[in-house]
Amino acid sequence: MNLDEFLAQTQDRVRTDLAERMLDAAAPYPHEELIFSEVVMQHMADVGMIDDPKICQYSGKVGNAVLRLVGYAVSEDLDTLDLFVSLYAGAPTITPVPDADVMQAAGQCLQFLKNCVEGKLVKKLDETNDAYEIATVIETCYDNLDRIRIFVLTDCQSKAKAFKPRDVKGKTISLEVMDIERLHRHWSEGKPRDELLINFQEVSGDALPCVYVPGQLAGYDYALAAIPAETLYILYEKFGPRLLEANVRSFLSATGKVNRGIRDTLRLAPEHFMAFNNGIVMVADEARIGRASDGSIGLLGLKGMQIVNGGQTTASIYFTRKKSPDTDISRVRVPAKIIILQSSDPESEEQMIADISRFANSQNSVKQSDLSANKPFHVQLEKLANTTFCPDGVSRWFYERAAGSYNVLLAREGTTPAKLRQLKEAVPAARKISKTDLAKYLHAWDERPDVVSQGSQKNFNTFMQDIAEGGFAAPDPLTVQWYKTTIAKAILFKETHKISRAKHFAQAQANIAAYLVSVLANRTGDRLSFDRIWSRQALSPQLAQQLVAWALEVEAALRSNAGAKMISEQAKRPECWEAVRQYDYSDLRTDIPELD
């Protein structure tokens, strides 16, 4: 799929989504630009670039400064902030966008950040304003943020993909562009790690001395090296968790702590780090080999590098130095094994990476349950999704076991406009479910909205832990009937979230949706027929009306329990669910067809 075809597909998805929302009379974002932003932000979350994004449209002025925002993402530990602003043209052909226009949009988003930091914006906003919550978070948590980025999202083609960083109150603000070209590379190649280009001469001052071994018949080359800790620090500061392979990244977000042993060695005995540490394992798509200044063989650069083992080491080096700037890491070297992949088959390559990650991590504290994508549960579910058709006998749902696999499907099988149209009709984007989506749908029905409210990654980690420890009730192997029930729960959650958005709740729409599903589960129990939902592939009007009535009551219960606190934060607490569960709700309708 070339860039023009990808642009047409993206715009078609935006227009289709808009039409569906308008038909439902539940369109909270009735503009193509905001739907485009939502699609791009969700993709960035799926590939690990950002955490749990939220759409938040704001435009206004403070003094003479123009402020704009379309969304934001805050990490679970409140140490990373990403802000988004959009430039959407909707043009039928690839359209260049001047750097001046991109910088103007980035500047307006930067003004939003500045006025939040200075406390000026919160004073102007009513508590019901969409931007009030993020403005409050920025004002109160700014000093603790380690990384701040502003992204300009556009369906045009930008010459520059990044601009000179800015400084706000002593912190560096990165300015990046996610244009249609960059987005196409992500989706068509299915591996955004291609953007991770490392020039060791720039970050280390010289080629990285190594022992380089051509793989010949092995399908990969490899190199052994000792990487300066300063180099790893710089790379993590630039790329953040994107540097880490997805499963390792999930593990790190679950721990959220600096390894004490690594920290103590860095601070007390840095010269012994090489001897004490097991080192890291990395994969890369390409390597440039040359000579170091002393004439030895060295790595000049890597393309598509990711750390598949040693993520804890890398992150601990970064955060130890960040939190204790006096830590001297100039003498620290980290042993590294670097695998340079040679496969031309993307599926084989991804399987190779998964195997390297699995075996490399089998001897350390990353449990097998953390390496989730290739767990039998997810493999079985993917097979069921590919072979179980909806009641119409034509369409089906898509389980995205690996990020980007839906778009790989479209590119691989939609080889002509007619085939692509038929494929999208049979497997529409609205019926795509990711691993984190699945965990959210099932936990909400299992009356665990507090866990869902902790964010996509933490909720997913809990879900995987439940599977590993036998705390999740599912047949082994998975059955078609279980699959249909699961899809019905997905339909229920998706429709409930639409209702939450349609009521124009200014804050915590996702929390309200999760709690609303849990309230329904609590009030109906085993009486709700998921077979009926599967058969209709929709909710009955009576059930939808019941959810509309309870949505207002759930929001009131959440507000009452949160008090002066933010709903999204209070919703993470088990006692919040206990309070919301016991709220005095209106009576359950007796005419709901799904109730047995």
Side-chain angles (χ1 to χ4, degrees):
M1 183 184 299
N2 62 33
L3 187 57
D4 291 290
E5 292 169 336
F6 178 73
L7 173 65
Q9 175 188 306
T10 302
Q11 291 178 341
D12 179 62
R13 177 178 176 184
V14 169
R15 287 189 289 267
T16 300
D17 197 342
L18 176 62
E20 288 178 354
R21 296 187 187 187
M22 297 298 286
L23 285 173
D24 289 342
Y29 314 125
H31 304 291
E32 290 185 1
E33 184 168 8
L34 280 173
I35 294 176
F36 170 77
S37 301
E38 189 175 29
V39 168
V40 176
M41 288 164 59
Q42 187 55 54
H43 166 73
M44 293 171 71
D46 289 343
V47 299
M49 290 182 68
I50 60 175
D51 290 300
D52 206 17
K54 294 179 174 61
I55 281 289
C56 177
Q57 184 182 27
Y58 178 81
S59 61
K61 294 184 71 175
V62 176
N64 293 323
V66 177
L67 285 60
R68 270 210 310 137
L69 185 77
V70 295
Y72 64 89
V74 182
S75 65
E76 295 167 355
D77 296 324
L78 297 179
D79 57 4
T80 298
L81 170 70
D82 296 309
L83 300 177
F84 304 88
V85 65
S86 57
L87 288 173
Y88 186 75
T93 58
I94 299 298
T95 304
V97 58
D99 285 351
D101 290 356
V102 177
M103 275 306 303
Q104 182 182 40
Q108 292 169 346
C109 196
L110 190 66
Q111 285 295 335
F112 178 90
L113 175 67
K114 287 181 178 178
N115 281 274
C116 288
V117 173
E118 295 169 0
K120 296 179 181 178
L121 189 57
V122 170
K123 295 176 182 177
K124 292 192 60 172
L125 296 176
D126 185 89
E127 290 188 14
T128 60
N129 191 291
D130 282 6
Y132 181 83
E133 183 171 355
I134 185 57
T136 303
V137 169
I138 293 173
E139 181 181 349
T140 56
C141 301
Y142 190 75
D143 290 341
N144 297 322
L145 292 171
D146 290 325
R147 187 179 65 182
I148 306 166
R149 297 177 296 185
I150 289 176
F151 287 93
V152 179
L153 313 178
T154 177
D155 63 333
C156 299
Q157 188 174 33
S158 173
K159 182 177 180 181
K161 301 296 187 285
F163 292 91
K164 182 179 178 180
R166 298 296 191 268
D167 183 88
V168 175
K169 199 179 176 182
K171 291 187 181 291
T172 300
I173 316 300
S174 300
L175 304 181
E176 297 190 38
V177 184
M178 180 62 76
D179 69 342
I180 195 66
E181 183 180 37
R182 186 176 177 186
L183 193 63
H184 176 242
R185 288 203 300 266
H186 278 212
W187 264 327
S188 61
E189 297 173 12
K191 49 179 184 181
R193 66 174 184 274
D194 280 354
E195 293 191 342
L196 275 64
L197 304 174
I198 292 94
N199 185 325
F200 287 110
Q201 291 173 306
E202 291 181 358
V203 297
S204 303
D206 196 1
L208 187 67
C210 70
V211 175
Y212 188 79
V213 182
Q216 298 177 348
L217 300 177
Y220 61 87
D221 300 341
Y222 70 89
L224 301 176
I227 300 181
E230 291 273 12
T231 298
L232 287 178
Y233 177 88
I234 292 170
L235 293 178
Y236 195 89
E237 185 170 53
K238 181 177 181 180
F239 297 113
R242 291 176 60 204
L243 194 65
L244 312 181
E245 192 269 335
N247 292 316
V248 178
R249 183 167 58 244
S250 297
F251 167 71
L252 289 179
S253 68
T255 62
K257 299 177 181 178
V258 175
N259 183 288
R260 180 177 297 178
I262 295 175
R263 181 196 63 192
D264 291 346
T265 303
L266 288 171
R267 293 185 59 78
L268 303 177
E271 67 279 3
H272 292 154
F273 195 90
M274 186 86 168
F276 294 169
N277 191 266
N278 290 333
I280 63 178
V281 179
M282 301 187 295
V283 297
D285 295 316
E286 297 178 16
R288 290 192 298 116
I289 306 299
R291 296 282 177 178
S293 57
D294 63 1
S296 64
I297 296 292
L299 281 172
L300 299 174
L302 294 172
K303 177 183 177 183
M305 185 184 97
Q306 281 202 310
I307 295 172
V308 297
N309 175 247
Q312 186 72 67
T313 294
T314 306
S316 293
I317 288 172
Y318 176 79
F319 286 109
T320 296
R321 173 71 176 277
K322 195 76 174 177
K323 296 178 186 300
S324 304
D326 61 328
T327 303
D328 181 12
I329 59 175
S330 61
R331 293 174 291 166
V332 176
R333 297 293 183 272
V334 181
K337 179 170 68 175
I338 304 166
I339 309 297
I340 298 97
L341 304 167
Q342 302 293 339
S343 174
S344 59
D345 179 11
E347 291 188 8
S348 298
E349 184 178 286
E350 293 303 318
Q351 184 61 47
M352 180 70 169
I353 293 173
D355 288 342
I356 293 171
S357 179
R358 178 163 59 91
F359 289 114
N361 283 302
S362 64
Q363 297 177 6
N364 65 21
S365 59
V366 180
K367 301 175 183 178
Q368 291 296 316
S369 59
D370 297 314
L371 305 173
S372 59
N374 294 298
K375 293 285 289 183
F377 174 87
H378 297 291
V379 173
Q380 290 176 34
L381 184 50
E382 181 184 52
K383 290 180 179 178
L384 284 169
N386 291 338
T387 57
T388 306
F389 287 85
C390 296
D392 62 11
V394 176
S395 60
R396 60 184 176 86
W397 286 71
F398 186 89
Y399 184 61
E400 195 168 49
R401 182 171 63 88
S405 57
Y406 177 77
N407 293 286
V408 171
L409 170 72
L410 296 181
R412 186 177 65 243
E413 298 186 16
T415 53
T416 67
K419 288 183 178 179
L420 180 61
R421 183 176 61 255
Q422 292 172 356
L423 186 60
K424 290 166 69 174
E425 288 174 354
V427 193
R431 286 181 174 172
K432 180 188 74 172
I433 298 177
S434 68
K435 295 191 297 293
T436 52
D437 287 338
L438 177 75
K440 178 170 59 179
Y441 303 153
L442 297 180
H443 271 168
W445 182 256
D446 286 345
E447 299 186 35
R448 303 179 73 180
D450 51 314
V451 178
V452 176
S453 297
Q454 289 174 6
S456 297
Q457 200 57 248
K458 282 190 176 180
N459 179 59
F460 178 70
N461 290 340
T462 300
F463 179 70
M464 288 306 301
Q465 185 177 355
D466 289 343
I467 292 176
E469 296 176 355
F472 175 69
D476 187 16
L478 302 180
T479 64
V480 172
Q481 182 57 48
W482 179 89
Y483 172 76
K484 292 180 178 180
T485 297
T486 298
I487 294 301
K489 291 176 181 177
I491 294 169
L492 174 63
F493 193 101
K494 283 173 170 283
E495 291 301 315
T496 302
H497 195 244
K498 282 184 181 179
I499 289 168
S500 177
R501 291 189 303 191
K503 300 309 294 182
H504 301 285
F505 295 128
Q507 298 177 33
Q509 293 175 355
N511 304 114
I512 292 170
Y515 271 78
L516 183 52
V517 170
S518 292
V519 167
L520 179 68
N522 181 263
R523 291 295 189 272
T524 60
D526 295 334
R527 294 177 58 200
L528 195 71
S529 171
F530 288 110
D531 287 341
R532 289 179 180 269
I533 296 176
W534 165 263
S535 297
R536 292 171 53 94
Q537 291 291 294
L539 306 185
S540 68
Q542 295 91 331
L543 178 55
Q545 290 164 13
Q546 178 67 71
L547 290 170
V548 168
W550 278 353
L552 296 169
E553 296 169 357
V554 166
E555 193 224 10
L558 283 169
R559 284 191 177 279
S560 174
N561 184 257
K565 299 177 183 178
M566 291 186 294
I567 291 177
S568 59
E569 287 302 308
Q570 183 65 12
K572 299 175 182 179
R573 303 177 181 276
E575 56 266 29
C576 182
W577 166 233
E578 186 62 24
V580 173
R581 185 179 65 81
Q582 295 181 11
Y583 189 80
D584 186 19
Y585 294 95
S586 55
D587 292 339
L588 179 67
R589 295 173 62 122
T590 59
D591 60 347
I592 297 175
E594 289 90 343
L595 291 181
D596 292 333

